[in-house]
Structures are given as structure tokens and as C-alpha cells.
Amino acid sequence: MDAQTESSRLAQESLRTQVRSAVLWRSGSQIFAQLIQWASTFMVIRILAPSDYGLFAMTQVVILLLNMLNGAGLASALIREPDLSEQKIRQMFGMLLLVNGVLAAIQFTLAPIAAAYYRQPMIETLLHVQCLIYATTPFIALPYALLSRGMEYRAQAKADVLSSVAGALAALAGALAGWGVWTLVWAPIILFAVRGAGLMMTARAWIWPSFDFRGAGHMARYGGLMAAGQIFWFAESQADVFIAGRQFDPHLLGIYTTSLFLAQIFVSKVIPPLNQVAFAAYARLQEDEGAVGRAFVRGVGIIMAAALPFYAGMAATAEPLVLAALGEQWAEAVPVVRILAFAMPFMTFQTLIAPACDAIGRPGLSVRNGATGGVLLVAAYLVGVNWGIQGLALSWLSAYPLYIAISLRRTLPVLGVPFAAVAGAISAPLAAALAMGLAVAAAAHALPVMTPWAQLGVLVPLGGTIYLTFLWIFARDVLSQLIETLRRQPVAV
């Protein structure tokens, strides 16, 4: 073995170690932080009314749209920057401050228009107060990028946990004090403020911004492409609320959005931290597309092996799950959650594609995929909303299979990955999850009358046992790979 080959091998081993540590800290801390938030969230859901969540969802359409432009994509350019100087960091800080100041002004101006569109005067006041969120964004995005560049996720973990505790306490205090919808407004503002302060101190990123942007055009262009992709993601994920908000009353909209929150727990809470680590890891491998492709296939197989049984179990236990987690007042959400659980595997798979494309310098591909998804899903929402909240849920299931098929046809050749490799990575987990879901659904039907928590106490262990047993008998290599990943190396490079 020559010196260059040995050096390459050692570099890959080092990256594997870093990725393993990053996944453990990023996903581990994220899961711990989310457990805190989930405990608080479900307690608050039991206190607040569905109409409170409906009003809050209406404001989120505006906030999430503008947040697609808040500079997070700009900050991601620092992760890929081969030669990072203090001047570039100061320029990025200046861009973030400028962009978010403009966005706050735009939201303040749009508030009365949004209130008129939804025919809910209170929306104007809610949106005015929520402008405070933009003051926190630069102090989160900049240190996050600097820490991610060095894969220092242990430092991020501390800020995430601290901010989660602060947000959870604020939410509980507000709900118990009778703040109603204002609980949902102030809790995230407090969470973001604490996270920003924690990240800035951890990254030692207290610097003066520079508003001289000469020489920073390439970072702005890269960030702009990533922001464009995020805007299309907004069309995919928020257009349903925008469309339904004018046709449904706040109660029905609250039922729908809370059902969506429950169904998207895995894809919205577990996948993002893993994608953040994946992006940083892929960026290290961007000169070797073959390595990126292999890592992509392995990552898809591992994540879908966890996601598929989660969603199959959710579909099979939708009724006791909703009643136990949310309470009797949310019983209308049961059929909506069941439908959405069938659509979420497609959404989860789709979210795994963009980090690989972005990291190898092809964010334009993510933009094209996002544009396709935006068109397909918005068209489906416009049709589905005419059949109420269940029709709106079915629109996800009707559009996402076609969306992901088109995305894979575009993306896999760029990554140098044959479709058969991806299909092979998920075929065994899919078969095991389907077998598990059918068995759990049959068991749920056969159970005697018992409390929702008791039903879950029987069905969840049963489902887990069936899934793991299926893998042990028919796909032992998949099970071995999962165990190996947890013990040694989450991503092969």
C-alpha cells in the first residue's frame, strides 16, 4: 500500500469516526431535546383548544414562507467554503442581519393582508409580535454553520437542550396561565432567543458584521439557490394550510394541522439533524461522487429501516395513539392521522435526497425537484380540500409517489447510483413493516375493550417484536447493518 492510499484510508477512517460522533451527538441531543419538547407539546395540546392551533397555523404560513429566505442557506455556504477567513464570516453575519431585518419589515406589512385573507382579525396582532423571531435568526444561523463546519455537534447539543427546556417551560406556563394561542407565539420566540445566545457563546462568534459584500458573491449565489429550493418546499408543506385556512374554520384547521404534526414527528424531528450531519459528511466527499452515492444508499437504507415500521405502526394504531397522546377532544383526527401515516414514508425518502445534491454543488437539482413537488402537491391540495380534512390528507398520498419517482429519476444518475441499489436497500424493511402493520391492525381489532394507553402497551411491543423477527428470519443482513451502524459507523464512505 503506497503512502497516498494509506493517507486516503486514514482520512476516511477519521471521517467515519467524526460522522459517528456527530450523529450520536446531533441526533442524540436532538432526540433528548425533542423528548422535552414533545412532553411539553402534548401536555399543552390537552389544555389548548383546536381553534388555538388553527389560528397559529394561519400565521405559520406567512412566517415559514419568509423564513425560507432568512439566510440559513447563506450560512450553509460557510460549511462548503474551502478557505474560510474572518472577513467572510463578518460578511455572512452582515448578510444575515440585513436579510432578516428586511423580512421582519415585510411580515409587519403583510400582517393586515393575511388577517383579511383568513377573515381572522387577530392574525394581524399575532404576526406583528412574531416579527421578533427574525431578530434571533442571525445569532442561530452563523454559529450553527461554524460549528457544523468542524462537525462540533457536542457544542450544538448543549444549546439545543437548554433552549428546548426554556421553550417547554414557557409553553407550559403560558398554557396553564390561560394565554391560549399566545402560548404558541411566545414559546418559540423564547426558545430561539435562548438557542441563539447559547450557540453564539459556544462558537465564540461575537464579531462585528461587515456590510461590504465584495468577494462574497459566490456564497450569496449558493445560498440563493438553497433558499429557492426551500421556497418550493414551502409550497409542498404549507400550501395546504394556506388553501384550507380560507375554507375551514379554525377548529377544523386545528384538527388537520395537529394531525399533520403527529404524523410528521419522525420526518420533521428525527430526519433534520441526521440530514445536517449528512450534508457536512457529503461535503467532505464532494470530490468523489462514487463515495457520496455509496453513503447515500447506505443512509437511505438505515433511515427507512427505522421510518417504515414507525409509520406502519402509526397507521395500525391511529385510534389509541390519538386518544392517548392528544385526548378525546381530538378524536376527529384519527382518520386523518391514519391516511397521513401512509404518505409519510414518501415524504421521508424525499427529504433524504437534497443534502447529497447540495453537498456536491448541485443545489439547482434540489430546486428542480422542489418545483416539481410544489406543482404536484398544490394541484392535489386544490382538489382534495373540496372533500374536507380527509380529502386534504388524501392529496398527500396521491401526489407524493409521483413526486419521488420524478426526483429519483433526475437525481440518481448524478450520484452514480442505480435505482436497483436504492430499491434493494429498502425492500426488506418495507416488507417487514407491511407484515408488522397488518399483524398489529388485526391484533387491535381482536383486543377487548381497554383504555388507549393499555392498547398501545400491547400493540407497540407486539409490532416491534414482529418487525425485528421478520428481519432476523428474512433479512438478517439488514438487521446486522443496523446493529453495526449503532455500534461503529453510521455512514460508510
Side-chain angles (χ1 to χ4, degrees), residues 430-444:
L430 176 60
L434 289 174
M436 182 207 77
L438 291 172
V440 170

Side-chain angles (χ1 to χ4, degrees), residues 331-345:
E332 294 170 87
V334 170
V336 184
V337 169
R338 182 173 287 118
I339 294 168
L340 289 170
F342 286 106
M344 288 303 109

Side-chain angles (χ1 to χ4, degrees), residues 62 106-116 123-125 127-128:
V62 177
I106 292 173
Q107 180 168 307
F108 197 89
T109 304
L110 288 177
I113 300 173
I123 296 297
E124 180 177 359
T125 306
L127 283 171
H128 283 165

Side-chain angles (χ1 to χ4, degrees), residues 226-354:
M226 291 192 70
Q230 290 293 307
I231 288 176
F232 289 122
W233 173 86
F234 166 83
E236 299 169 23
S237 63
Q238 292 298 312
D240 54 343
V241 178
F242 180 76
I243 293 167
R246 190 167 173 86
Q247 297 202 33
F248 299 164
D249 60 29
H251 174 84
L252 275 182
L253 186 62
I255 294 291
Y256 172 76
T257 56
T258 302
S259 301
L260 198 57
F261 160 77
L262 190 60
Q264 288 183 333
I265 278 181
F266 189 92
V267 68
S268 65
K269 305 300 183 183
V270 177
I271 297 300
L274 297 180
N275 271 346
Q276 290 163 4
V277 175
F279 174 74
Y282 292 150
R284 297 280 190 93
L285 301 170
Q286 59 187 292
E287 302 302 326
D288 184 352
E289 291 185 2
V292 173
R294 291 190 297 273
F296 173 75
V297 172
R298 182 177 173 87
V300 165
I302 292 169
I303 291 174
M304 294 306 292
L308 289 168
F310 181 89
Y311 294 128
M314 177 176 286
T317 63
E319 182 172 358
L321 176 64
V322 168
L323 297 180
L326 307 182
E328 293 286 345
Q329 71 269 32
W330 296 92
E332 294 170 87
V334 170
V336 184
V337 169
R338 182 173 287 118
I339 294 168
L340 289 170
F342 286 106
M344 288 303 109
F346 297 102
M347 183 180 184
T348 301
F349 198 163
Q350 182 66 41
T351 62
L352 302 177
I353 297 174

Side-chain angles (χ1 to χ4, degrees), residues 69 104 139-140 207 226 229 274 344 374 409 448 489:
L69 305 172
F139 302 96
I140 295 174
I207 59 174
M226 291 192 70
L274 297 180
M344 288 303 109
R409 184 174 181 180
Q489 52 182 25

Side-chain angles (χ1 to χ4, degrees), residues 206-233:
W206 299 105
I207 59 174
W208 287 106
S210 172
F211 297 97
D212 179 0
F213 302 130
R214 288 175 294 182
H218 65 291
M219 293 194 296
R221 284 190 295 271
Y222 179 84
L225 282 173
M226 291 192 70
Q230 290 293 307
I231 288 176
F232 289 122
W233 173 86

Side-chain angles (χ1 to χ4, degrees), residues 41-52:
T41 296
F42 287 119
M43 291 175 69
V44 170
I45 285 174
R46 288 176 168 273
I47 298 172
L48 300 184
S51 58
D52 293 325

Side-chain angles (χ1 to χ4, degrees), residues 17-28:
T17 301
Q18 283 185 290
V19 170
R20 180 178 184 274
S21 176
V23 169
L24 289 175
W25 277 103
R26 188 67 183 126
S27 60

